[in-house]
Amino acid sequence: MTHVPVVDVLQGRFAVGETVTVKGWVRTRRDSKAGLSFIAVHDGSCFDPVQVIALNSLENYADIQRLTAGCSVSVTATVKASEGKGQALELDAERVEIVGWVENPDTYPMAAKRHSIEYLREHAHLRPRTNVIGAVTRIRNCLSQAIHRFFHENGYVWISTPIMTASDTEGAGEMFRVSTLDMLNLPMTDKGEVDYSQDFFGKETYLTVSGQLNVETYCAAMSKVYTFGPTFRAENSNTSRHLAEFWMIEPEVAFASLDDVAGLAEDMLKYVCKAVLEERADDMAFFAQRIDKDAINRLEKLVSSDFVHMDYTDAIDILKASGKSFEFPVEWGVDLSSEHERYLAEEHVGGPIVMKNYPKDIKAFYMRINDDEKTVAAMDILAPGIGEIIGGSQREERLDVFDRRLEEMGLSQEDYSWYRDLRRYGTVPHSGFGLGFERLVAYVTGMQNVRDVIPFPRTPGNAQY
Ligand code: 4AD
């Protein structure tokens, strides 16, 4: 390519006087009385656009004066020290080629003004051109690269787990069915049930809710593994922290206890937040200024302090003693709802909490039963502002205890035969967790709704684009 990213120009990779070509989209343009036009050109490579100064001596100056927000341009220009206050460097245009006009500036949905976040959601194909979604997108990228780097540096192997599966990992029945059967002419068995033996895979299959069970198989051979991929939940939750399609990071570690992976989660979160502070200072400054004034402090505090560990049973006592009237009443045995999680993380601790040892009746079949026979070695990490961002556990590695648990939950050994094999052939204690990627991005940026931190959100009733 013959052109260079705007970020390279603004960061001074080219000397004053050097000629460069940048290509991108016009954010704003204004004319000065002195016969110049100032064009702010952005290309997504950093938060700021570069200021291009076009003189009226340019042969297509009349066209340049018709440029509006959203037009695409290719600018060849000389790097120049800026006389204005803002950026140190700007560009003196030698040539401004107009690549694509905006057909009617009055109807351009991303005209340069403040739009509500709901309005931007309705224009998901154009919203990446805005400051806020551009910044979210770069932070999202920074976080995912940092996550892979963290695991790579620590000797983990990335496993691609399947998206189509026959297992309901979480046992919650919130799965999207995958089928090639003709819905209007479903084959039926003698018992009057849909005959899935005639379906593509010869059985009922779904979009995965978690890669965990599959990644456990590789853990039982490669020791330290993780998945990072899309997961799907058909839960009808219209909240600011639920998506029907979201990305999850799931490490799984052999010979590791619950506390080992709680430590891993803490190290990982600190590593990736530090990466954001170091690599995306421009975007974080914007979030702190416009979205959440605490955005940078929060990350700095997370990086420099130890996570508080708390037992579920103690949390129930704290909630009861809080004097708060919660919408969902608190008693031992209930699942913590978002109001409880937020009270604990925001008001009680004022930072992330590793919540451990939940009642077994509210948790999944694969979690390791504790000696009290009432709780399981499960953990959630609760973060201020968003609540649960991580769910994990030590897995039940004892075949006899696992079989008892399957029976108790009405699940068949046959359906989990390959999973049971891991307990039959060289079983080992092992633990892992799942980090909801969109919840992490929301936490880091201070964005209020996970729909605004994923390019194309999928929620009940919404699969546009
Ligand atoms: O707690 P969950 O359901 O755990 C699992 O799926 C385990 N199999 C993970 C493991 O141990 N390998 O989900 C893990 C995380 C949650 O803490 C949350 O951050 C996120 O996934 N999550 C969602 N994020 C957005 N929309 C949804 N509908 C989500 N459901 C879960």
Side-chain angles (χ1 to χ4, degrees), residues 169-170 209-210 212 233 235 241-243 246 248 250 366 388-392 395 432-436 439:
T169 306
E170 294 308 301
V209 296
S210 154
Q212 180 198 322
R233 306 250 168 131
E235 55 190 326
R241 52 184 213 152
H242 286 92
L243 291 162
F246 63 99
M248 190 154 40
E250 299 182 88
Y366 53 73
E388 180 195 331
I389 56 170
I390 284 183
R395 322 305 189 187
F433 64 81
L435 164 66
R439 292 196 188 172

Short mmCIF file of all heavy atoms in Angstrom, two decimals, residues 169-170 209-210 212 233 235 241-243 246 248 250 366 388-392 395 432-436 439, ligand 1:
data_model
loop_
_atom_site.label_atom_id
_atom_site.label_comp_id
_atom_site.label_asym_id
_atom_site.label_seq_id
_atom_site.Cartn_x
_atom_site.Cartn_y
_atom_site.Cartn_z
N THR A 169 -24.07 -27.68 27.84
CA THR A 169 -23.07 -27.60 28.92
C THR A 169 -23.65 -27.10 30.22
O THR A 169 -23.41 -27.64 31.29
CB THR A 169 -21.92 -26.67 28.49
OG1 THR A 169 -21.42 -27.13 27.26
CG2 THR A 169 -20.81 -26.64 29.52
N GLU A 170 -24.43 -26.04 30.16
CA GLU A 170 -24.92 -25.43 31.40
C GLU A 170 -26.21 -26.08 31.89
O GLU A 170 -26.71 -25.75 32.96
CB GLU A 170 -25.10 -23.94 31.23
CG GLU A 170 -23.80 -23.18 31.00
CD GLU A 170 -22.75 -23.50 32.06
OE1 GLU A 170 -23.01 -23.28 33.24
OE2 GLU A 170 -21.67 -24.02 31.69
N VAL A 209 -23.50 -23.34 24.03
CA VAL A 209 -23.63 -22.31 25.08
C VAL A 209 -22.28 -22.08 25.77
O VAL A 209 -22.12 -21.10 26.50
CB VAL A 209 -24.69 -22.67 26.15
CG1 VAL A 209 -26.08 -22.74 25.54
CG2 VAL A 209 -24.36 -23.96 26.88
N SER A 210 -21.34 -23.01 25.55
CA SER A 210 -20.02 -22.89 26.19
C SER A 210 -19.12 -23.97 25.59
O SER A 210 -19.58 -25.07 25.29
CB SER A 210 -20.18 -23.12 27.70
OG SER A 210 -18.99 -23.60 28.27
N GLN A 212 -16.77 -25.36 27.22
CA GLN A 212 -16.09 -25.99 28.36
C GLN A 212 -15.92 -27.50 28.26
O GLN A 212 -14.83 -28.03 28.46
CB GLN A 212 -16.85 -25.65 29.65
CG GLN A 212 -16.20 -26.26 30.87
CD GLN A 212 -17.15 -26.28 32.05
OE1 GLN A 212 -17.91 -25.34 32.24
NE2 GLN A 212 -17.10 -27.34 32.84
N ARG A 233 -26.92 -18.08 23.65
CA ARG A 233 -27.90 -18.41 24.70
C ARG A 233 -29.27 -17.90 24.27
O ARG A 233 -29.44 -16.70 24.01
CB ARG A 233 -27.54 -17.76 26.02
CG ARG A 233 -26.13 -18.08 26.47
CD ARG A 233 -26.05 -18.98 27.68
NE ARG A 233 -24.69 -19.44 27.83
CZ ARG A 233 -24.00 -19.40 28.97
NH1 ARG A 233 -24.57 -18.95 30.07
NH2 ARG A 233 -22.77 -19.87 29.03
N GLU A 235 -31.74 -17.23 25.95
CA GLU A 235 -32.46 -16.80 27.16
C GLU A 235 -33.15 -15.49 26.85
O GLU A 235 -32.57 -14.60 26.23
CB GLU A 235 -31.53 -16.69 28.38
CG GLU A 235 -30.34 -15.80 28.19
CD GLU A 235 -29.32 -15.91 29.32
OE1 GLU A 235 -29.72 -16.12 30.47
OE2 GLU A 235 -28.13 -15.79 29.03
N ARG A 241 -26.98 -6.49 30.20
CA ARG A 241 -25.77 -7.33 30.24
C ARG A 241 -25.94 -8.71 29.60
O ARG A 241 -25.10 -9.58 29.75
CB ARG A 241 -25.24 -7.44 31.67
CG ARG A 241 -26.27 -7.86 32.68
CD ARG A 241 -25.69 -7.84 34.08
NE ARG A 241 -26.33 -8.90 34.86
CZ ARG A 241 -25.78 -9.53 35.86
NH1 ARG A 241 -24.55 -9.25 36.22
NH2 ARG A 241 -26.43 -10.44 36.53
N HIS A 242 -27.06 -8.89 28.88
CA HIS A 242 -27.30 -10.18 28.21
C HIS A 242 -27.37 -10.02 26.70
O HIS A 242 -28.04 -9.13 26.19
CB HIS A 242 -28.61 -10.80 28.69
CG HIS A 242 -28.52 -11.37 30.06
ND1 HIS A 242 -28.83 -10.65 31.17
CD2 HIS A 242 -28.13 -12.60 30.49
CE1 HIS A 242 -28.63 -11.40 32.25
NE2 HIS A 242 -28.20 -12.58 31.86
N LEU A 243 -26.72 -10.94 26.01
CA LEU A 243 -26.80 -11.02 24.56
C LEU A 243 -27.15 -12.47 24.20
O LEU A 243 -26.82 -13.39 24.95
CB LEU A 243 -25.45 -10.68 23.93
CG LEU A 243 -24.98 -9.23 24.05
CD1 LEU A 243 -23.48 -9.12 23.80
CD2 LEU A 243 -25.75 -8.35 23.07
N PHE A 246 -22.66 -14.05 22.30
CA PHE A 246 -21.56 -13.31 22.93
C PHE A 246 -20.30 -14.16 22.86
O PHE A 246 -20.35 -15.33 22.51
CB PHE A 246 -21.90 -12.96 24.39
CG PHE A 246 -22.09 -14.15 25.30
CD1 PHE A 246 -21.05 -14.59 26.12
CD2 PHE A 246 -23.28 -14.85 25.33
CE1 PHE A 246 -21.21 -15.68 26.96
CE2 PHE A 246 -23.45 -15.96 26.16
CZ PHE A 246 -22.41 -16.38 26.98
N MET A 248 -16.84 -15.76 24.54
CA MET A 248 -16.40 -16.20 25.87
C MET A 248 -14.96 -16.72 25.79
O MET A 248 -14.57 -17.36 24.81
CB MET A 248 -17.34 -17.28 26.40
CG MET A 248 -17.08 -17.59 27.84
SD MET A 248 -18.43 -18.26 28.84
CE MET A 248 -19.28 -19.40 27.83
N GLU A 250 -12.47 -19.20 27.79
CA GLU A 250 -12.60 -20.27 28.78
C GLU A 250 -11.28 -21.04 28.93
O GLU A 250 -11.02 -21.97 28.17
CB GLU A 250 -13.71 -21.23 28.36
CG GLU A 250 -15.07 -20.56 28.27
CD GLU A 250 -16.17 -21.55 27.91
OE1 GLU A 250 -16.74 -22.15 28.83
OE2 GLU A 250 -16.45 -21.73 26.71
N TYR A 366 -21.49 -30.27 36.51
CA TYR A 366 -20.08 -30.68 36.44
C TYR A 366 -19.23 -30.13 37.58
O TYR A 366 -18.04 -30.38 37.65
CB TYR A 366 -19.48 -30.25 35.09
CG TYR A 366 -19.70 -28.79 34.79
CD1 TYR A 366 -18.98 -27.79 35.46
CD2 TYR A 366 -20.63 -28.37 33.82
CE1 TYR A 366 -19.18 -26.45 35.21
CE2 TYR A 366 -20.83 -27.01 33.57
CZ TYR A 366 -20.12 -26.07 34.27
OH TYR A 366 -20.32 -24.74 34.02
N GLU A 388 -21.58 -9.88 37.53
CA GLU A 388 -20.78 -11.07 37.18
C GLU A 388 -20.10 -10.91 35.82
O GLU A 388 -20.77 -10.71 34.82
CB GLU A 388 -21.70 -12.30 37.16
CG GLU A 388 -20.95 -13.56 36.81
CD GLU A 388 -21.87 -14.72 36.43
OE1 GLU A 388 -23.01 -14.79 36.93
OE2 GLU A 388 -21.42 -15.55 35.63
N ILE A 389 -18.80 -11.03 35.81
CA ILE A 389 -18.11 -11.07 34.51
C ILE A 389 -17.48 -12.44 34.25
O ILE A 389 -17.21 -12.80 33.12
CB ILE A 389 -17.04 -9.95 34.34
CG1 ILE A 389 -15.99 -9.99 35.45
CG2 ILE A 389 -17.68 -8.60 34.27
CD1 ILE A 389 -14.81 -9.06 35.16
N ILE A 390 -17.25 -13.21 35.34
CA ILE A 390 -16.63 -14.52 35.20
C ILE A 390 -17.43 -15.54 35.99
O ILE A 390 -17.90 -15.25 37.09
CB ILE A 390 -15.16 -14.49 35.70
CG1 ILE A 390 -14.27 -13.80 34.67
CG2 ILE A 390 -14.64 -15.89 36.04
CD1 ILE A 390 -12.79 -13.78 35.02
N GLY A 391 -17.61 -16.73 35.40
CA GLY A 391 -18.19 -17.85 36.14
C GLY A 391 -17.27 -19.05 35.95
O GLY A 391 -16.86 -19.33 34.83
N GLY A 392 -16.93 -19.73 37.05
CA GLY A 392 -16.02 -20.87 36.89
C GLY A 392 -16.16 -21.85 38.03
O GLY A 392 -16.99 -21.66 38.93
N ARG A 395 -13.87 -28.80 38.58
CA ARG A 395 -14.77 -29.78 37.98
C ARG A 395 -14.77 -31.05 38.82
O ARG A 395 -13.73 -31.42 39.40
CB ARG A 395 -14.36 -30.10 36.55
CG ARG A 395 -13.84 -28.93 35.73
CD ARG A 395 -14.78 -27.75 35.67
NE ARG A 395 -14.32 -26.74 34.70
CZ ARG A 395 -14.87 -25.56 34.54
NH1 ARG A 395 -15.90 -25.19 35.30
NH2 ARG A 395 -14.41 -24.73 33.63
N GLY A 432 -11.53 -24.47 35.79
CA GLY A 432 -11.53 -23.49 34.69
C GLY A 432 -12.61 -22.45 34.92
O GLY A 432 -13.36 -22.51 35.90
N PHE A 433 -12.66 -21.51 34.01
CA PHE A 433 -13.71 -20.48 34.12
C PHE A 433 -14.05 -19.93 32.75
O PHE A 433 -13.36 -20.19 31.76
CB PHE A 433 -13.28 -19.36 35.08
CG PHE A 433 -12.08 -18.56 34.64
CD1 PHE A 433 -12.19 -17.53 33.71
CD2 PHE A 433 -10.81 -18.83 35.18
CE1 PHE A 433 -11.08 -16.80 33.33
CE2 PHE A 433 -9.70 -18.08 34.79
CZ PHE A 433 -9.84 -17.07 33.86
N GLY A 434 -15.15 -19.18 32.71
CA GLY A 434 -15.55 -18.49 31.48
C GLY A 434 -15.66 -17.00 31.75
O GLY A 434 -16.32 -16.58 32.70
N LEU A 435 -14.97 -16.21 30.92
CA LEU A 435 -15.06 -14.75 31.02
C LEU A 435 -15.94 -14.27 29.88
O LEU A 435 -15.67 -14.55 28.71
CB LEU A 435 -13.66 -14.14 30.89
CG LEU A 435 -13.58 -12.63 30.60
CD1 LEU A 435 -14.10 -11.81 31.77
CD2 LEU A 435 -12.14 -12.22 30.29
N GLY A 436 -17.03 -13.57 30.22
CA GLY A 436 -17.89 -13.00 29.19
C GLY A 436 -17.20 -11.78 28.59
O GLY A 436 -16.98 -10.78 29.27
N ARG A 439 -18.99 -8.36 28.58
CA ARG A 439 -19.08 -7.76 29.93
C ARG A 439 -17.74 -7.14 30.32
O ARG A 439 -17.68 -6.11 30.97
CB ARG A 439 -19.53 -8.80 30.94
CG ARG A 439 -20.98 -9.21 30.68
CD ARG A 439 -21.58 -9.92 31.86
NE ARG A 439 -22.88 -10.45 31.48
CZ ARG A 439 -23.60 -11.25 32.24
NH1 ARG A 439 -23.14 -11.61 33.43
NH2 ARG A 439 -24.77 -11.69 31.85
O1 4AD B 1 -21.47 -18.52 34.17
P1 4AD B 1 -21.52 -19.07 32.77
O2 4AD B 1 -22.83 -19.55 32.27
O3 4AD B 1 -20.41 -20.19 32.73
C1 4AD B 1 -20.19 -21.07 31.73
O4 4AD B 1 -20.71 -21.07 30.64
C2 4AD B 1 -19.09 -22.04 32.07
N1 4AD B 1 -19.22 -23.21 31.20
C3 4AD B 1 -17.75 -21.36 31.91
C4 4AD B 1 -16.59 -22.23 32.26
O5 4AD B 1 -16.43 -22.58 33.41
N2 4AD B 1 -15.77 -22.61 31.30
O6 4AD B 1 -20.99 -17.94 31.78
C5 4AD B 1 -19.70 -17.40 31.91
C6 4AD B 1 -19.71 -15.91 31.67
C7 4AD B 1 -20.58 -15.11 32.64
O7 4AD B 1 -19.88 -14.83 33.82
C8 4AD B 1 -20.87 -13.86 31.85
O8 4AD B 1 -19.78 -12.95 31.92
C9 4AD B 1 -20.95 -14.37 30.43
O9 4AD B 1 -20.27 -15.63 30.39
N3 4AD B 1 -22.34 -14.54 29.99
C10 4AD B 1 -22.97 -13.70 29.17
N4 4AD B 1 -22.57 -12.57 28.56
C11 4AD B 1 -23.45 -11.93 27.76
N5 4AD B 1 -24.71 -12.39 27.51
C12 4AD B 1 -25.16 -13.52 28.10
N6 4AD B 1 -26.38 -13.96 27.82
C13 4AD B 1 -24.28 -14.24 28.97
N7 4AD B 1 -24.39 -15.38 29.69
C14 4AD B 1 -23.20 -15.55 30.30
#
